[in-house]
Amino acid sequence: MNQLIDFVIISIALFSIGIYGLVVKRNAIRMIFSIEIIANAANLNLVAFSRHVQNVEGQVFALFSIAIAAAEVAVALGIIIIAYRLYKQIDVHEFRSLKG
Amino acid sequence: MVDAYFVGVAVLTIGTSIVALESKELIYGAIALAISMLGIAGFFLLLDAQFVAMFQITVYVGAVAVLVIFTVMLVRTQDLFSAKDDKGRKVGGIILALVTMGGIGAIFLVSGISDPMFGNLESTPTDVKEIGKSMLTYYSPALIVLGFTLAGAVIGALALARREGLLKENESTN
């Protein structure tokens, strides 16, 4: 039988992979991937603890979180497309218009 | 002790999420991300959360992955993939990831959550009915706000990606 700690360890591993991607990658789409991986790690944690305490709240929060993540991806990809049109690339180091 | 299904899903999820970040071609990364989301849905099934697993497959594998793949195809250029990561930055990132993993992992391991008496999941799972009930009673304002947020995000994304404004701007600069 699986223990609660197993799911938490998987969640921590996914979170660390996401942090690595956010720090290292310069490609805007890869940064979106990292954010998605981190959000999924958080959802897994929510559902695992919800199962442990036999409470439905964690699952409801996970559902809300998934829906918000979908909205966030739609807006982020719109921003990436418009940035690509302006700069002809998606390297975040080249997006310098907001730099003072 | 974990069972074989758990180990398989864990290897699939973590392996594909690494591939999503490290693959040479961005499109393979997008597909690997979709498989990783599918693995998370498998974990939800292991945790007796069938409704959340179904929602995860519908939203992430069905909508987000397709959206990402279309964006990757739209922004595809030759020099996009040749951009190499900084070597020192990569080492720093790996060290930061390991420190994060070790730090949070150590906190959880000493917190007593790993005690088999505390952390077992053998109790009866909650019913799907309970999710619907709490969503339509206590969380109904949140559900309505969520609907407005989704509508606003979709309209905002459409307004952002519209071509018309850009064409006008080009004309005025010319």
Side-chain angles (χ1 to χ4, degrees):
Chain A
M1 191 62 202
N2 303 311
Q3 300 283 315
L4 175 62
I5 188 73
D6 303 328
F7 293 96
V8 174
I9 286 170
I10 296 293
S11 171
I12 293 168
L14 283 175
F15 178 75
S16 308
I17 291 168
I19 291 284
Y20 160 79
L22 267 187
V23 170
V24 173
K25 297 296 168 189
R26 287 165 42 176
N27 187 328
I29 294 182
R30 289 233 199 259
M31 293 177 87
I32 299 273
F33 288 2
S34 309
I35 293 170
E36 290 306 304
I37 290 170
I38 292 177
N40 270 290
N43 287 344
L44 179 60
N45 231 347
L46 278 175
V47 175
F49 276 93
S50 142
R51 176 75 178 84
H52 176 249
V53 298
Q54 282 187 282
N55 199 335
V56 83
E57 315 285 298
Q59 292 189 29
V60 175
F61 288 163
L63 290 175
F64 284 144
S65 162
I66 290 170
I68 292 289
E72 166 233 311
V73 167
V75 174
L77 292 179
I79 291 174
I80 286 175
I81 285 180
I82 203 137
Y84 175 70
R85 266 191 217 143
L86 290 174
Y87 297 94
K88 293 290 164 220
Q89 56 187 336
I90 51 171
D91 189 335
V92 287
H93 285 220
E94 302 298 326
F95 298 166
R96 294 216 180 98
S97 296
L98 290 177
K99 212 170 177 179
Chain B
M1 230 6 242
V2 296
D3 48 19
Y5 180 69
F6 182 92
V7 175
V9 176
V11 169
L12 181 81
T13 309
I14 293 186
T16 48
S17 59
I18 293 172
V19 169
L21 294 177
E22 291 299 333
S23 66
K24 282 244 160 30
E25 285 267 352
L26 205 51
I27 191 102
Y28 294 148
I31 294 166
L33 186 77
I35 298 171
S36 171
M37 303 306 172
L38 212 58
I40 296 280
F43 280 127
F44 289 160
L45 284 181
L46 268 180
L47 286 164
D48 300 308
Q50 291 91 348
F51 186 68
V52 185
M54 190 204 75
F55 204 74
Q56 168 94 4
I57 291 174
T58 319
V59 173
Y60 270 113
V61 187
V64 170
V66 172
L67 203 62
V68 167
I69 286 170
F70 267 110
T71 312
V72 169
M73 286 170 169
L74 277 176
V75 301
R76 185 164 223 180
T77 53
Q78 283 306 311
D79 57 345
L80 208 68
F81 308 108
S82 55
K84 279 269 177 292
D85 298 326
D86 194 356
K87 204 82 179 172
R89 208 182 171 86
K90 196 163 190 170
V91 173
I94 290 173
I95 290 172
L96 181 68
L98 288 179
V99 166
T100 313
M101 205 187 296
I104 306 176
I107 291 171
F108 272 111
L109 284 178
V110 299
S111 70
I113 204 179
S114 56
D115 186 359
M117 292 304 290
F118 175 76
N120 64 4
L121 299 174
E122 280 157 9
S123 48
T124 49
T126 48
D127 200 3
V128 182
K129 264 186 212 163
E130 292 294 313
I131 299 177
K133 214 181 273 176
S134 62
M135 267 206 170
L136 287 179
T137 53
Y138 188 73
Y139 291 106
S140 62
L143 197 67
I144 294 167
V145 171
L146 182 74
F148 280 124
T149 310
L150 278 174
V154 169
I155 293 168
L158 282 177
L160 269 178
R162 205 166 45 124
R163 262 215 109 80
E164 213 177 328
L166 192 76
L167 291 176
K168 262 182 205 155
E169 205 173 275
N170 282 350
E171 277 165 17
S172 64
T173 48
N174 288 342

